[in-house]
Amino acid sequence: MYKKIDNDDIRFLIDICGEEEVFAGEDISEDFSHDELGGVEKYPEVLVNVYNTEQVSKIMKYAYKNNIPVTPRGQGTGLVGASVAIHGGIMINLSKMNKILELDEENLTLTVEPGVLLMTIGQYVQERDLFYPPDPGEKSATIGGNINTNAGGMRAVKYGVTRDYVRGLEVVLPNGDIVNIGGKVVKNSSGYSIKDLIVGSEGTLGIVTKAILKLLPLPKKDISLLIPFKDLPTAIETVPKIIKSKSIPTAIEFMERDVILAAEEFLGKSFPDNTSDAYLLLKFDGNSKEDIEKEYEKVAHLCLKNGAYDVFISDTQERNESIWSARGAFLEAIKASTTEMDECDVVVPRDKVADFIRYTHDLQKELNVRIKSFGHAGDGNLHVYTLRDGMDDETWKLKLKESFDCMYEKSRELRGQVSGEHGIGYAKKEYLHESQSESYMDLIKSIKTAFDHKNILNPSKIY
Amino acid sequence: MYKKIDNDDIRFLIDICGEEEVFAGEDISEDFSHDELGGVEKYPEVLVNVYNTEQVSKIMKYAYKNNIPVTPRGQGTGLVGASVAIHGGIMINLSKMNKILELDEENLTLTVEPGVLLMTIGQYVQERDLFYPPDPGEKSATIGGNINTNAGGMRAVKYGVTRDYVRGLEVVLPNGDIVNIGGKVVKNSSGYSIKDLIVGSEGTLGIVTKAILKLLPLPKKDISLLIPFKDLPTAIETVPKIIKSKSIPTAIEFMERDVILAAEEFLGKSFPDNTSDAYLLLKFDGNSKEDIEKEYEKVAHLCLKNGAYDVFISDTQERNESIWSARGAFLEAIKASTTEMDECDVVVPRDKVADFIRYTHDLQKELNVRIKSFGHAGDGNLHVYTLRDGMDDETWKLKLKESFDCMYEKSRELRGQVSGEHGIGYAKKEYLHESQSESYMDLIKSIKTAFDHKNILNPSKIY
């Protein structure tokens, strides 16, 4: 149904982008055939590096005219196959559009190209006493990828998610037209919020070529609390009590001993404590030590009353870094501990997290498969991994499906959603479909058609 | 093209909702023929009060089948004709679906029907030490209306707008299907954000029948500063400097002497000071007096350095109420000072507000027409009113169009947007069209078609 790439197409791409930026067939690096998890594999027919919006627009116009599927790609750190070229065709690599274009201190905005890395943004604004709050564990992701999955991260409890920090976008539509959406304005009620539709659309509605991000003043201080508990359910059951006490920490993460040990091994560094089975890790930020102390003392007391063994306070930069860098490495550490894995990224109401985790513990025994998890207890978003270890192909497929079917069903029962922050992509389509009504899925399809009636931009993703 | 209402239709509505809830022809109160500003006038053919989602669904299924236009309606406090039945047909009055359904303190959510008034929500949560931040001047608006315009209000500088506080929605689609979107979850990356598309869609994509709102802990203290300046541009030019200083007040409002005098007359109450030509009104909130003091002292000093005559500090509840209730009455006070008026609700980047206001001052002289304004200096959203006073019909139409054409053009030049919070509705369609590219308007139309291919739900609004 789609046109196959031929020499004319390759010549066209070389004309637009230059010979050294176009790769076809065997010249395409294996990296571009999958994403971080690797469960979805397929090579594009041709890969092209782009450096500006006009190139993207010209390529899309050509693809639109010739009915060629196009897959936009950043750093490939996704986990659901959203940046894999399922139908071959053209892959547009946006990671070289990586310039910070403007810092506007009077409007507190940062204008960036989509290929800028999250860690680059973090460092750039911090050096200027400013703050870009979204904080996913994967700092080498591009901002374009973060916008396309509506990435959340660890500070969502207090600061919200990527969507809340996108003020304006430049987008190339499937037909190659360039549109500007929003801007530096703080409020906007001028027609449907196309900006919010593009955010989280996993590259299926348009290609983000520029973004205007909202910044905040950098909080002057932060303090972390590492709090050991006898087991994970006891730890997690404390979280709704913290919320109910009307303290809103910046972050509330949960972790188990196994995962900490894996991170210690992976990083070759030791964690401040690994003697208990389960931990909560909390962060508080503010503008003075006194402000923060008042908040965290209340919460520390509440945790001790609810079964915490102790409260370790970390207020030096060095110690904070050792804790949070371990937390940031959990995914890779678990990945390194097995042969293959897949992730269930459900989000449930905050008061249902303990139920869900208890369920995965039972499921692990019932199915005789290793299931490891960590995640954002403060916002209800869990990262749960089913591990392959020594299983053969057939057993692995079976066990993976069985465990995922059970977990997504449990999430539906608890009124959760299929994905908290990693998206649906290619790998989780079935579960989105099962979790939503037919009317709802019809809307999703109609919106896709409204933007891309030829279905050429990142087809076969989301639905 | 649309079917006209006949006796069968009325009998159907009576069957669903009861005789006392259905009004046709001359039995329809004049109130339902216009909104707050009254510039757009048209009676529905039949008005029906609904009490539950099933009634709304049944009516929409019937309207869909019979090709009857439907206009959803709350309290009618809108300013752009979005809730006026331009094509006659059925008007569904949702203001009697006004129950608070659930407060969930562990997830910090409040579930409400669409007809609950903003003031009811404010009081309900405050009594429980909780906080619903969006704070438009019009407290007798319904939450459904606020969701449909993505209302912003005075606290947007620090806390954001209505969209940021909607976690989940129950919506009746144009074909009568009921869909549930989002929920109590904090994060969500599960397909396109239909929730964000419905918010701000002015009743054209679906009818909101239930909303799950996000709450925050109530800040324990707030302090307001009233700061007189020699003129409005001097006052407003201070605002980007405040933002650049990395202080984020809860609110930064601007006002002129005339408008204060009008509010004093309208309310029969005096304002703390009315001797200067222009004022900034700032609010700071936090959990202790000391926290707030540190913040506001820095800002007060900065204002004095930039030409402020004085800084009046208001920290008693009584005094705060007298200031903020005057601020909340500005629209009605200006309205009471003339025979008719229309509003330009543009939003521009924060550092362009002074340019825009200076422009309206010049325009007032140039066109020989009274133009009054107040608004949200902290988020760039202006409310600018062209007043009719003693003009005859023809002159008024001419002057209004002339002044609006000029102001919207100026806003485009400053990279602003047509509406910051009041929406496009019927009255501002022309200006939205002029401000956006054809590609962008095509997307708007395609999204409408994706939801409502028969174009029966609130037709002829937005585009």
Side-chain angles (χ1 to χ4, degrees), chain A residues 149 177 189 192 204 291 419 439, chain B residues 149 177 189 192 204 291 419 439:
Chain A
T149 53
D177 284 356
S189 291
Y192 306 140
T204 64
D291 296 3
S419 170
S439 306
Chain B
T149 54
D177 284 356
S189 291
Y192 306 141
T204 64
D291 296 1
S419 170
S439 307

Side-chain angles (χ1 to χ4, degrees), chain B residues 30 34 50 152 192 226 246 258 276 282 301 304 314 338 365:
Chain B
E30 188 264 348
H34 59 79
V50 293
Y192 306 141
L226 184 65
K246 292 164 185 154
D258 301 11
S276 296
L282 277 73
H301 186 77
L304 290 168
S314 165
T338 186
K365 284 179 214 148

Side-chain angles (χ1 to χ4, degrees), chain B residues 254-266:
Chain B
F254 73 87
M255 51 196 71
E256 284 181 288
R257 192 161 179 272
D258 301 11
V259 175
I260 292 172
L261 295 179
E264 287 186 322
E265 195 180 321
F266 180 76

Side-chain angles (χ1 to χ4, degrees), chain A residues 107 128 149 153 163 177 182 187 189-190 192-193 204 217 246 291 347 350-351 376 379 417 419-421 439, chain B residues 107 128 149 153 163 177 182 187 189-190 192-193 204 217 246 291 347 350-351 376 379 417 419-421 423 439:
Chain A
N107 288 300
R128 287 151 182 87
T149 53
R163 171 173 286 120
D177 284 356
K187 289 173 173 173
S189 291
S190 311
Y192 306 140
S193 188
T204 64
K246 292 164 185 153
D291 296 3
V347 58
R350 280 191 275 234
D351 62 340
H376 314 298
D379 59 39
Q417 297 283 338
S419 170
E421 58 184 7
S439 306
Chain B
N107 288 300
R128 286 153 182 86
T149 54
R163 170 172 287 121
D177 284 356
K187 289 175 173 171
S189 291
S190 313
Y192 306 141
S193 188
T204 64
K246 292 164 185 154
D291 296 1
V347 57
R350 280 192 275 233
D351 62 339
H376 314 298
D379 59 39
Q417 297 283 338
S419 170
E421 59 184 6
S439 307

Side-chain angles (χ1 to χ4, degrees), chain B residues 295-309:
Chain B
E295 283 292 303
Y296 84 65
E297 277 168 10
K298 195 171 78 175
V299 172
H301 186 77
L302 196 153
C303 288
L304 290 168
K305 225 180 84 184
N306 284 278
Y309 289 145

